[in-house]
Amino acid sequence: RWTWRTIAAGGVWKPYMADGVASVLQCAEHWKAYIRDGENGMLAADEAEWTEKIERLVASPELRRRMGQ
């Protein structure tokens, strides 16, 4: 079953990020080498934070554009 954790744990975000898609990843030490939370992507510690950050991206085209650069 796909959950926010299984999606966040995989490397599926790399090609999307390379194509300029804003990403939300599980807040884990190994992702912190790639993601600066709120600058080039977002890190989420739990399902509630994951949902909140996705909703922020959906609501803000400017935020998506800026993070996708």
Side-chain angles (χ1 to χ4, degrees), residues 12-59:
V12 298
W13 60 276
K14 290 177 186 176
Y16 294 106
M17 202 168 174
D19 282 342
V21 176
S23 299
V24 180
L25 302 172
Q26 181 180 7
C27 187
E29 284 301 315
H30 54 275
W31 298 137
K32 291 179 183 179
Y34 302 99
I35 303 297
R36 291 178 310 281
D37 191 38
E39 292 181 37
N40 67 340
M42 293 184 171
L43 298 170
D46 57 32
E47 191 169 354
E49 191 173 11
W50 183 271
T51 300
E52 181 265 326
K53 290 186 175 190
I54 290 174
E55 287 174 349
R56 282 178 49 202
L57 286 169
V58 168

